[in-house]
Amino acid sequence: MKIAFIVDPLDTFKIYKDSTFAMMREAATRGHELYAMEQQDLLWRGNAVFGNSRGLHLTGDDKQWYRIEDAVETPLQHFDAVLMRKDPPFDMEYVYSTYLLELAEAQGAKIFNRPRAIRDYNEKMAIARFPQFIAPSLVTRRMEAIRGFLAEHRDIILKPLDGMGGVSVFRVRADDPNLNVIMETLTQEGRRSVMAQRFIPEIRDGDKRVLVIGGKPVPYCLARIPKPGETRGNLAAGGSGVARELSEHDKEIASTLGPTLQADGLLLVGLDVIGDYLTEVNVTSPTCFQEIAQQTGFNVAGMLIDTLEKSL
């Protein structure tokens, strides 16, 4: 197969932990042809969507890990599969890319994850589709509503709807003297909606990344455990990752959501679970493949490429 990856600049990859690199390596091992392009390489002209794609060859050298060919303007339907693996932030340029990819999909291109599904599943708001699995939560830009939620639950998390990596995530208690400035900053004086969630003490045991591929859960998760004095488990915020078998409740969440996610065109999803609660549904560029594989021996990238091959 010819597989194109829409990615961040290749020179920014940390291949010892990058999940997209794990996918590329697995696909190359099976003899598939690899192509790379960046978000800026997409264009629409003459009723077709093209990408300035470059043939990509893995060298096996950790320092200079790839060799790349000159760019060729190629209709996206020329590829057997196009994997959208551009990292967040999910800004308007990302949205415009999904519009282009949706046009390409209408012309026969096979895009994973589906562009419409990426837009529809805001990674914070998507938990509202599955209320049976979530802690008490609120989405608002009204500061008085946040105050009421805090008065009820006494200990909460506040976070933006478009954040990643634990950026701008605050734990707030009822007596916090910084409450007003936190609310003013996050809501931009009431102009931006945010999410509030009841604080889940089980974060001390880790924020679990549960991967769902083709509607089925990977049998291991990565528990991202906060460093001392932190309430955020994100690896980008200094958390440490420990692979574990899924608990029975983790399996229930993943198995319940799996068919819906697959039907909506989401080949790969990263569920975030703290304790017994679903806290986020990550659809843009889910990670943790290599950490799970290194600690358990389970080939997550192999499961993904298996599923991709079958779907095509």
Side-chain angles (χ1 to χ4, degrees):
M1 294 193 301
K2 293 180 170 64
I3 304 177
F5 292 83
I6 302 173
V7 292
D8 290 295
L10 296 174
D11 286 342
T12 67
F13 278 40
K14 297 176 180 178
I15 64 170
Y16 66 91
K17 68 173 185 177
D18 193 283
S19 294
T20 303
F21 173 74
M23 298 175 196
M24 291 174 170
R25 182 174 56 196
E26 181 68 25
T29 298
R30 301 183 186 204
H32 299 309
E33 297 179 26
L34 307 183
Y35 298 84
M37 65 185 85
E38 296 178 25
Q39 194 171 236
Q40 66 193 23
D41 292 319
L42 296 172
L43 63 103
W44 170 70
R45 183 182 60 236
N47 203 33
V49 178
F50 300 84
N52 285 320
S53 66
R54 298 162 178 82
L56 175 66
H57 306 273
L58 308 187
T59 65
D61 181 343
D62 289 346
K63 292 185 177 179
Q64 184 55 49
W65 61 271
Y66 68 90
R67 178 172 57 83
I68 201 152
E69 299 175 5
D70 292 338
V72 177
E73 193 172 287
T74 309
L76 293 191
Q77 64 264 35
H78 170 81
F79 302 104
D80 296 290
V82 177
L83 274 60
M84 179 52 159
R85 290 291 299 174
K86 169 72 177 69
D87 285 343
F90 190 84
D91 54 16
M92 283 308 301
E93 283 302 318
Y94 205 120
V95 172
Y96 297 148
S97 292
T98 66
Y99 292 149
L100 290 170
L101 292 174
E102 193 169 17
L103 283 172
E105 189 178 49
Q107 296 159 1
K110 304 295 184 182
I111 313 292
F112 303 92
N113 286 325
R114 286 197 71 187
R116 179 181 295 273
I118 292 176
R119 287 201 308 274
D120 287 350
Y121 276 76
N122 174 273
E123 297 187 330
K124 308 297 188 293
M125 277 290 302
I127 64 171
R129 298 168 181 252
F130 312 104
Q132 70 271 38
F133 294 122
I134 68 174
S137 302
L138 168 76
V139 172
T140 184
R141 54 178 165 170
R142 293 172 47 221
M143 286 181 271
E144 62 269 27
I146 298 172
R147 288 193 188 92
F149 188 80
L150 177 58
E152 178 181 0
H153 297 289
R154 311 298 295 174
D155 193 353
I156 66 173
I157 294 292
L158 289 174
K159 55 187 176 181
L161 295 178
D162 59 354
M164 61 168 286
V167 175
S168 299
V169 175
F170 291 88
R171 180 182 179 183
V172 183
R173 297 178 177 88
D175 59 352
D176 195 320
N178 295 308
L179 173 62
N180 285 340
V181 69
I182 291 171
M183 292 193 301
E184 291 164 4
T185 300
L186 283 181
T187 68
Q188 296 179 352
E189 300 283 357
R191 294 189 299 274
R192 182 175 72 168
S193 296
V194 299
M195 173 169 278
Q197 290 178 317
R198 188 185 70 192
F199 176 71
I200 305 169
E202 289 83 357
I203 184 62
R204 62 179 177 269
D205 300 319
D207 181 353
K208 294 174 285 187
R209 168 57 55 82
V210 178
L211 295 168
V212 180
I213 297 175
K216 297 180 180 179
V218 171
Y220 299 92
C221 66
L222 191 76
R224 294 152 307 164
I225 300 171
K227 64 183 181 181
E230 260 286 1
T231 57
R232 301 171 299 171
N234 309 75
L235 300 182
S240 58
V242 178
R244 298 175 181 158
E245 291 187 22
L246 298 189
S247 70
E248 290 304 313
H249 195 65
D250 295 337
K251 293 176 185 176
E252 180 186 358
I253 293 173
S255 298
T256 302
L257 271 60
T260 298
L261 300 173
Q262 183 182 31
D264 286 343
L266 294 166
L267 175 76
L268 170 62
V269 178
L271 307 178
D272 287 350
V273 179
I274 301 175
D276 288 335
Y277 297 104
L278 175 69
T279 60
E280 293 188 14
V281 179
N282 295 274
V283 301
T284 48
S285 187
T287 60
C288 300
F289 280 41
Q290 294 211 55
E291 294 89 344
I292 291 173
Q294 290 160 5
Q295 294 182 41
T296 69
F298 184 85
N299 187 355
V300 185
M303 180 176 173
L304 180 100
I305 300 300
D306 281 345
T307 305
L308 183 66
E309 290 172 345
K310 291 174 183 176
S311 71
L312 295 171

